[in-house]
Structure formats: C-alpha cells, structure tokens
Amino acid sequence: MRVRLNTNESPTPPPVAWQHAVAAELSRLDWHRYPDRSATSLRAAIADLHHVDPAQVFAGNGSNEVLQTLLLTYAGPGRTVATFEPTYQLHGHIARLTGATVAEGGRREDFTLDLAEVQRVCGSADPIITFLCSPNNPTGLVEPETNLGAVQDAAPGLVVVDEAYAQFSDWSAIGLVDDDTPLVVTRTFSKTWSMAGARLGYLIGPSWVVAEMEKVTLPYHLDAAKQIAGRLALGFVDDMEARVGHIVAERERIQEAFGHLPVDFWRSGANFVLFRPRTVAGAHVWKALLDYSVLVRDCSGWPRLENCLRVTVGTTEENEVFLRALEEILS
Ligand code: PMP
C-alpha cells in the first residue's frame, strides 16, 4: 500500500537530531540494569511541559495502557463506566475487560454531546468513570469547555478526557487539572510526537489518582529506552509544533476539497476527517481507494457510522493522491 491513511499516525518521522540524541544515550545505557521504576526524569520533563507536579504525571506504554491501568484501578465487576457513542472504542472495550458494566449514552444526530443524555446516564448508572474524548475519535469533533463543565457537574465519579489529538485543536482540559478535582487528561506520543513505534502515553491528573494507579502497574513496566526517547522528544517542542501546524493546514485543505465533492463530513479538530460519500456506498469507496493504493479506515460497519470512512491527514503528496482518487471514484 503506497498511501496509508488509516491509523492516525504522523506521516513524518521525528527530527533527525532527536534520533541522534537517542542513539547517543542508548550507547551509554546500562542494559543489564532494570530501568528507573518511577520514570523520574521522563515524568519531570512531562510535568515541566504542562506546568504540573511530577506526582501528577503517570506514564505508560501508549495511552491505551494508561487507559487500561486507570480502568484496572477504578472499574471492575459491580462498577459502571459511562461513554457517549460514537467515540473511541477502546474506552468501552477495556472497561468490559475489567468486568465493569458500560453505560453507553448516545450523542446527537450530528455527533455533538447531548447534555440531557449525559445527565440521564450519569444520574441512572452512577458511573465510577465518565469518558470524554476531545477531539473525539472517530468524529474529530472538539468538546467545548462548557460541555466538560456540564459533564463534571453531572458525573458522580472521575471524569477522563482522552486528548490523544489535542494538539491539533485549540483547546485542552489540562489547565483544569488539580488535586481537588476528579478530572484526568490522557495524552500520547503516538500522533503529534511522531512516535507511534515507541508506545508511550501519559496521564495528567490529581496526585492521589496517580498514586492509586501506581499500585496497579507492573514493576518496571516502562523500559529504559522508551524513557530516554520520550524525555529527549520533549526537547523538540518547536519541531513538533511545526509538524502539527502543517498537518492542521493540510486538514483544512482536505475539508475545503470535501466541500466541492459529493460527501458529507464532520469538521475535525484532529489529524483525521470522518466523511460519508453521498452517491456511492462507503464500503465500495473504501475498496475503490485500495485500487489507487490508498488505505483509509472503513467505519461503515460501526454503529451509527453507516457509509462513513475516516481519513488520516498525510503528507501533502499523500493527501493529493487520496483526493484525486476520491474525486475520480465519485465522478
Ligand atoms: N485514544 C484515542 C482517542 C486514540 O485514537 C488512540 C489511538 N488510536 C489512543 C488513545 C491510543 O493511542 P496510543 O496507545 O498509541 O498512545
């Protein structure tokens, strides 16, 4: 496959200077020793980036593992976790794996959050964890701050905001985190930091939540190489922001092009766009794109996403190949 636009990775690698810095530190690593169990330097660097205390940072092997640890800590049999669908499927999936019940609320027809539904679900199901995802995967919609406030008012337990794509949007909930508020925010190195291969993610939350999660984590779960890779990446914020700026500009260009094609789409604040061809079945378009060596995500079989496809924003060249192929398929 020439153009892979199906898993929301960064289309470009991290800076060469970062690769050299990682190689240099790895050459000095004591491979026969266990890594720093508390990931002290990495957590300090993440805390610095977000102006929080290192005790408010939990790091894991990808934000999926962070979510899993959170759910192992607080969910489980006899407990309920709330999601508002459609949203990131792993929230409900991992919650069920822990034995918890998932109370699935529905979003509105346009996939925005229905606050009456939030109140109904939180009031009736008494969730220990209530999930939001902003920007939401797979819709790309950014949750307005007022919605988060309303969810915090309604939720009886911990509110989790999954911000895997937050740097592509103009708002983050991290500034609202403090030790007196049952709110946590999860982030990943997989997208904006171009490090999906490293499997590194983290959570910013009250220090008492981090302390509880540490009780559940396996000893030495974060290997030494990953701790180095993550810490060094944070020295390249400007490069990351330049990549993000380029992807955001390309996303706007794709959406502009969609405006001239027979497709409906949802305005995205992420590095992907959800769209629905109007004239040809989504699954057919997905297959036809393969003939052009373009792979996107087929969401057409997912609940409420009939005929929908999701395309990751790639390089300018990749996006051109995708848009030209789509235009021909739909003409
Ligand atoms: N949250 C959301 C909303 C995602 O889309 C993804 C990646 N698909 C993740 C979390 C997991 O990311 P990772 O485990 O690579 O950090």
Side-chain angles (χ1 to χ4, degrees):
M1 202 55 53
R2 209 153 43 94
V3 179
R4 280 174 45 182
L5 303 175
N6 63 328
T7 48
N8 302 341
E9 294 146 318
S10 166
T12 47
V16 173
W18 170 84
Q19 295 177 30
H20 289 158
V22 173
E25 283 215 24
L26 289 187
S27 72
R28 295 191 294 269
L29 187 65
D30 286 335
W31 287 99
H32 59 301
R33 298 293 181 197
Y34 280 113
D36 173 5
R37 188 168 168 171
S38 309
T40 314
S41 311
L42 171 64
R43 287 170 62 204
I46 295 170
D48 245 24
L49 179 74
H50 294 300
H51 312 294
V52 298
D53 194 277
Q56 296 176 315
V57 178
F58 176 89
N61 293 288
S63 56
N64 280 342
E65 193 194 49
V66 173
L67 296 168
Q68 183 189 48
T69 307
L70 193 60
L71 287 159
L72 285 172
T73 306
Y74 288 103
R79 298 204 164 161
T80 301
V81 169
T83 63
F84 296 93
E85 306 288 332
T87 191
Y88 185 47
Q89 293 178 324
L90 268 278
H91 296 158
H93 176 68
I94 303 171
R96 286 187 190 93
L97 289 178
T98 72
T101 302
V102 177
E104 287 189 357
R107 288 170 178 268
R108 292 200 194 97
E109 200 61 31
D110 62 1
F111 298 146
T112 56
L113 198 62
D114 179 347
L115 296 181
E117 177 76 341
V118 170
Q119 287 194 340
R120 186 190 68 74
V121 170
C122 288
S124 60
D126 195 24
I128 189 82
I129 286 181
T130 301
F131 275 108
L132 285 182
C133 186
S134 179
N136 191 22
N137 183 5
T139 64
L141 298 185
V142 178
E143 217 57 80
E145 184 169 353
T146 48
N147 277 4
L148 172 58
V151 171
Q152 287 180 283
D153 288 343
L158 193 62
V159 174
V160 179
V161 185
D162 184 333
E163 288 196 351
Y165 304 96
Q167 293 100 321
F168 300 110
S169 78
D170 47 18
W171 185 75
S172 165
I174 285 183
L176 302 175
V177 171
D178 64 46
D179 272 4
D180 302 321
T181 310
L183 169 73
V184 302
V185 176
T186 60
R187 288 276 181 110
T188 178
F189 279 75
S190 299
K191 320 291 180 181
T192 39
W193 293 100
S194 296
M195 286 171 60
R199 308 303 300 125
L200 182 59
Y202 60 91
L203 167 151
I204 305 293
S207 49
W208 47 270
V209 171
V210 172
E212 289 303 307
M213 290 173 74
E214 276 165 359
K215 293 179 191 165
V216 175
T217 313
L218 293 174
Y220 309 114
H221 71 130
L222 274 190
D223 66 76
K226 180 177 333 229
Q227 293 185 32
I228 289 169
R231 172 171 51 75
L232 291 175
L234 300 182
F236 293 86
V237 172
D238 290 350
D239 297 70
M240 180 276 280
E241 286 178 348
R243 286 196 304 274
V244 168
H246 182 70
I247 288 170
V248 167
E250 282 294 301
R251 177 189 75 206
E252 296 307 307
R253 195 170 72 83
I254 290 172
Q255 296 188 141
E256 161 78 20
F258 278 176
H260 302 287
L261 291 171
V263 301
D264 295 320
F265 67 96
W266 286 263
R267 282 245 158 243
S268 172
N271 66 338
F272 56 83
V273 187
L274 184 73
F275 66 103
R276 178 184 273 151
R278 280 190 221 121
T279 49
V280 186
H284 177 83
V285 173
W286 183 81
K287 275 208 201 84
L289 282 168
L290 286 186
D291 293 336
Y292 289 85
S293 209
V294 176
L295 180 62
V296 299
R297 178 56 65 92
D298 182 5
C299 309
S300 62
W302 301 4
R304 294 195 56 191
L305 297 178
E306 301 79 20
N307 282 320
C308 286
L309 304 176
R310 192 194 68 196
V311 62
T312 304
V313 180
T315 61
T316 305
E317 296 72 32
E318 288 172 331
N319 300 332
E320 265 311 301
V321 174
F322 160 70
L323 284 171
R324 269 202 229 107
L326 186 64
E327 206 177 310
E328 284 181 28
I329 292 162
L330 296 179
S331 69

